Amino acid sequence: MDPVQRIIDETKGSIPLDSLTAIAVRNHCSAEVVASFAVRDGLQVLAASLFAALEVGESEGEKPLACVRSRLVEMYRDLPPKCQTAVLIASGARLEEISEAAESEGLISIAAMLAEAEQEGEN
């Protein structure tokens, strides 16, 4: 198993479920993104472990949707917590579902970003 994934799997139970770190994990963001959110969330041990594993180059390559998913987690912070788009992002839902919710809730920037990703074949 990939050492970075092992670190994430071993610490999942201690990551607060509503933290940006947990949302990044559920959205399958890259290890670098998870580590940066861990720093923001005050999870220094997790962040240090991930950065150390990344430094020795033992992680898998970045997933194609990592940038889109990372941006969604960033945008999540500015959404009303009970809106459908926020709930879907927090749960790591499919991008198509998030896009539909964003469009119906008038969240134009999220819908546009997801539409662009879909046009570029990142679906």
Side-chain angles (χ1 to χ4, degrees):
M1 174 184 270
D2 174 30
V4 170
Q5 189 59 50
R6 189 182 87 261
I7 292 167
I8 292 171
D9 289 344
E10 289 174 356
T11 57
K12 274 185 186 175
S14 63
I15 301 171
L17 295 176
D18 61 343
S19 68
L20 292 177
T21 304
I23 295 169
V25 169
R26 286 192 295 272
N27 278 281
H28 308 289
C29 291
S30 69
E32 292 89 348
V33 170
V34 172
S36 69
F37 283 123
V39 169
R40 291 185 201 177
D41 289 336
L43 303 169
Q44 273 68 23
V45 173
L46 173 59
S49 297
L50 290 173
F51 284 131
L54 291 167
E55 192 171 284
V56 296
E58 294 184 3
S59 71
E60 293 178 355
E62 190 170 0
K63 297 180 185 334
L65 293 177
C67 182
V68 172
R69 290 287 186 174
S70 300
R71 186 70 184 118
L72 282 175
V73 175
E74 287 281 345
M75 293 172 143
Y76 169 85
R77 296 177 358 175
D78 297 326
L79 296 174
K82 300 295 181 194
C83 79
Q84 185 63 24
T85 303
V87 170
L88 290 170
I89 292 170
S91 70
R94 291 183 6 252
L95 294 180
E96 181 179 302
E97 292 174 297
I98 296 169
S99 178
E100 289 172 5
E103 190 172 328
S104 72
E105 293 177 323
L107 300 169
I108 307 305
S109 61
I110 293 175
M113 177 188 70
L114 293 172
E116 184 178 330
E118 184 178 335
Q119 285 179 341
E120 292 178 11
E122 294 191 31
N123 212 2

